[in-house]
């Protein structure tokens, strides 16, 4: 018996004349259209993500225009940390933008399939690390700023009462727990949105990449 | 300059368009989806064309870009989830070589191939196009031996679908 695929091959060759041929005009028109490839999606989504990080850094640097903030930071002796964190944030953002750009340039549709997929996934990974960094920076800053607010609010309360007592232990603990829970919830929401977007965008790519790896183990 | 580049591209694409049609046929169902993927492949080819040096034939290069687009870059648009079956795009066979049993088998085979996953389809496609295992392995980025092993598994899978 003839092999199944060879039977198909016979028919495959015959059916070649069957396609409705595109004219040169059709092809020119297609060249005017925009691509809808996932690489393009990744590019735009990554741009949004990168700018979110920049926004965060900007927001942080605006705090220095508030005299009270700076005074307070200096007062508690954290000014050098504050400056260091700002510099690190900017440096990291710049590093990631550069890395993203150079990885993105490496995506070549005429590479072999496995390499193309792995380059796309590596580009994704850069942005993923960037987001992870930003989320931890966000969590850290949120907790730091929150503790500051808590401390400040509490001490104002004390002054109006005309008493100068230490913050009771329970209040501190409850305050810290609330802060941590709020931070965790916010971080989780971001993370979830993130997973959803990429799950939707890259599911097929992951499946195919796994399949290729399985063939080649 | 860029105009003559475009002209040469359009001319070569027109001559080799059946490569793209065949890939669209394997990876989509329905005319809308077919044209959608055709367009995306055309755009990807055009974007990569300035890098095409002519070391290889246009067709060889186009195979690779077109397959990559279908497997990796293309996002099926929702409107392309059509239910039109493969047979609707089938051609007419001349009366003299009409063989009912064989025709039925071929229909089933097309259906079976459509059920394979994206990577398996790529292997089947290159097999149907008479590509050797060297080219198959280079295109997909897997070893030649493993491409062979996988191809044999696919053949077994198809046999099973046809003779349960």
């Amino acid at each position: 018996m003839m092999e199944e695929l060879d039977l198909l091959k016979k028919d495959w060759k015959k059916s070649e004349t069957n396609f409705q041929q595109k004219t040169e005009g059709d092809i020119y028109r297609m060249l005017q259209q925009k691509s809808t490839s996932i690489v393009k999606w990744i590019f735009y989504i990554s741009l949004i993500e990168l700018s979110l990080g920049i926004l965060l850094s900007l927001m942080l640097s605006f705090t220095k225009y508030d005299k009270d903030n700076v005074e307070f930071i200096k007062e508690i002796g954290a000014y050098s940390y504050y400056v260091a964190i700002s510099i690190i944030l900017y440096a990291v953002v710049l590093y990631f933008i550069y890395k993203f750009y150079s990885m993105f340039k490496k995506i070549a549709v005429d590479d072999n399939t496995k390499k193309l997929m792995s380059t796309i996934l590596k580009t994704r990974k850069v942005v993923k690390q960037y987001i992870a960094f930003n989320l931890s920076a966000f969590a850290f800053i949120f907790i730091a700023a929150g503790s500051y607010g808590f401390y400040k609010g509490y001490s104002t309360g004390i002054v109006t009462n005309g008493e100068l007592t230490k913050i009771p232990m329970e209040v501190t603990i409850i305050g810290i727990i609330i802060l941590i829970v709020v931070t965790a919830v916010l971080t989780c929401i971001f993370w979830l949105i993130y997973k959803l977007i990429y799950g939707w965008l890259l599911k097929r790519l992951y499946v195919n990449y796994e399949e290729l790896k399985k063939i080649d183990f | 300059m860029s105009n003559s580049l475009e002209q040469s591209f359009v001319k070569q694409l027109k001559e080799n368009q059946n490569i793209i049609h065949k890939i669209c046929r394997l990876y989509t169902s329905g005319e809308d989806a077919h044209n959608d993927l055709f367009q995306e492949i055309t755009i990807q080819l055009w974007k990569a064309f300035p890098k095409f040096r002519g070391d290889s034939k246009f067709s060889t290069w186009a195979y690779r870009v077109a397959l990559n687009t279908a497997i990796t870059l293309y996002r099926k648009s929702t409107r392309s989830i059509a239910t039109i079956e493969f047979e609707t795009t089938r051609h007419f066979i001349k009366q003299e070589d009409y063989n009912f049993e064989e025709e039925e088998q071929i229909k089933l085979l097309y259906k079976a191939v459509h059920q394979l996953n994206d990577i398996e389809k790529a292997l089947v496609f290159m097999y149907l196009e008479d590509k050797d295992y060297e080219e198959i392995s280079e295109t997909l980025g897997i070893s030649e031996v493993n491409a062979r092993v996988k191809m044999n598994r696919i053949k077994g899978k198809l046999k099973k679908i046809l003779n349960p």
Side-chain angles (χ1 to χ4, degrees):
Chain A
M1 191 195 136
M2 197 181 192
E3 276 248 38
E4 280 81 3
L5 270 183
D6 292 313
L7 182 67
L8 192 62
K9 195 187 264 184
K10 210 174 92 186
D11 186 78
W12 182 259
K13 296 242 155 89
K14 273 191 286 182
S15 65
E16 191 146 302
T17 47
N18 193 23
F19 297 112
Q20 199 182 355
Q21 296 295 293
K22 305 275 183 208
T23 63
E24 290 196 4
D26 291 336
I27 297 171
Y28 275 113
R29 261 193 299 282
M30 280 181 219
L31 297 185
Q32 309 306 315
Q33 302 298 315
K34 294 253 182 299
S35 158
T36 54
S37 80
I38 58 161
V39 171
K40 209 160 180 191
W41 278 95
I42 287 173
F43 183 74
Y44 287 125
I45 293 176
S46 299
L47 278 191
I48 294 172
E49 288 170 70
L50 290 170
S51 54
L52 276 181
I54 295 169
L55 213 71
L56 189 72
S57 314
L58 277 177
M59 258 156 58
L60 188 74
S61 56
F62 277 134
T63 53
K64 69 170 167 280
Y65 294 110
D66 186 348
K67 258 205 178 127
D68 282 354
N69 285 340
V70 178
E71 281 306 306
F72 174 77
I73 292 166
K74 276 183 179 161
E75 207 175 287
I76 59 168
Y79 193 69
S80 52
Y81 293 112
Y82 172 76
V83 173
I85 287 171
S86 304
I87 292 172
I88 290 171
L89 262 182
Y90 275 115
V92 171
V93 168
L94 283 177
Y95 165 78
F96 273 113
I97 288 175
Y98 165 76
K99 193 139 185 239
F100 170 73
Y101 182 72
S102 56
M103 273 313 289
F104 190 81
K105 291 270 278 185
K106 278 191 198 152
I107 298 177
V109 70
D110 47 4
D111 262 335
N112 71 53
T113 308
K114 200 174 179 185
K115 185 148 180 256
L116 172 67
M117 288 179 174
S118 105
T119 317
I120 293 175
L121 291 176
K122 276 182 197 157
T123 309
R124 277 301 318 137
K125 210 171 161 192
V126 171
V127 188
K128 198 169 160 187
Q129 287 165 346
Y130 173 80
I131 285 294
F133 171 81
N134 267 301
L135 279 183
S136 9
F138 162 80
F140 176 76
I141 292 164
F142 194 80
I143 287 179
S147 323
Y148 161 59
F150 171 71
Y151 175 81
K152 210 176 172 188
Y154 195 83
S155 36
T156 325
I158 287 169
V159 169
T160 35
N161 289 339
E163 269 176 61
L164 264 171
T165 44
K166 277 199 163 180
I167 302 174
M169 199 57 171
E170 308 88 71
V171 178
T172 316
I173 290 172
I174 291 169
I176 288 173
I177 288 174
I178 290 174
L179 255 179
I180 289 174
V181 168
V182 170
T183 312
V185 168
L186 283 176
T187 315
C188 277
I189 289 173
F190 270 118
W191 187 79
L192 216 76
I193 294 172
Y194 188 77
K195 281 275 158 191
L196 274 177
I197 293 175
Y198 283 105
W200 165 75
L201 200 62
L202 291 181
K203 192 173 162 238
R204 189 158 157 250
L205 184 95
Y206 274 121
V207 170
N208 286 339
Y209 190 59
E210 284 306 312
E211 175 70 19
L212 267 184
K213 279 205 297 199
K214 220 165 58 195
I215 295 175
D216 232 9
F217 31 82
Chain B
M1 175 62 201
S2 76
N3 219 0
S4 75
L5 191 74
E6 198 174 14
Q7 265 171 20
S8 123
F9 172 78
V10 171
K11 196 170 155 274
Q12 291 187 76
L13 185 77
K14 188 174 166 271
E15 282 164 10
N16 290 284
Q17 62 175 291
N18 278 342
I19 296 172
I20 309 176
H21 280 302
K22 284 183 274 188
I23 288 178
C24 293
R25 182 185 191 185
L26 270 190
Y27 283 93
T28 63
S29 19
E31 204 185 326
D32 275 355
H34 183 109
N35 288 331
D36 208 40
L37 180 56
F38 193 101
Q39 177 171 306
E40 186 61 42
I41 291 173
T42 303
I43 295 170
Q44 293 301 333
L45 280 165
W46 171 235
K47 281 205 317 206
F49 191 61
K51 277 198 305 174
F52 171 63
R53 301 241 178 273
D55 311 335
S56 54
K57 279 200 298 185
F58 181 86
S59 60
T60 313
W61 174 79
Y63 269 112
R64 185 177 272 222
V65 175
L67 261 183
N68 272 339
T69 306
I71 299 173
T72 310
L73 303 183
Y74 181 61
R75 260 197 65 76
K76 290 185 180 94
S77 59
T78 37
R79 70 184 166 90
S80 67
I81 305 169
T83 46
I84 304 164
E85 281 302 329
F86 225 135
E87 298 94 86
T88 53
T89 54
R90 299 259 301 119
H91 58 285
F92 299 99
I93 289 181
K94 285 188 211 114
Q95 276 301 320
E96 62 256 35
D97 21 274
Y98 195 83
N99 173 335
F100 184 75
E101 203 186 322
E102 203 176 285
E103 181 68 5
E104 277 305 301
Q105 277 236 305
I106 289 169
K107 262 189 197 172
L108 279 173
L109 269 166
Y110 272 118
K111 235 177 176 166
V113 168
H114 237 205
Q115 283 166 19
L116 297 174
N117 68 41
D118 290 343
I119 304 295
E120 291 169 336
K121 276 182 190 165
L123 279 149
V124 168
F125 170 72
M126 286 188 277
Y127 182 86
L128 293 176
E129 289 290 302
D130 280 330
K131 302 285 174 200
D132 55 25
Y133 281 103
E134 194 189 345
E135 194 173 337
I136 294 178
S137 74
E138 271 172 20
T139 305
L140 291 177
I142 56 178
S143 78
E144 221 176 301
V145 180
N146 290 333
R148 253 177 229 277
V149 172
K150 184 68 190 174
M151 199 64 223
N152 283 331
R153 288 215 188 108
I154 297 171
K155 284 180 186 168
K157 209 168 163 180
L158 288 177
K159 200 169 260 169
K160 240 189 190 161
I161 298 178
L162 289 181
N163 316 295

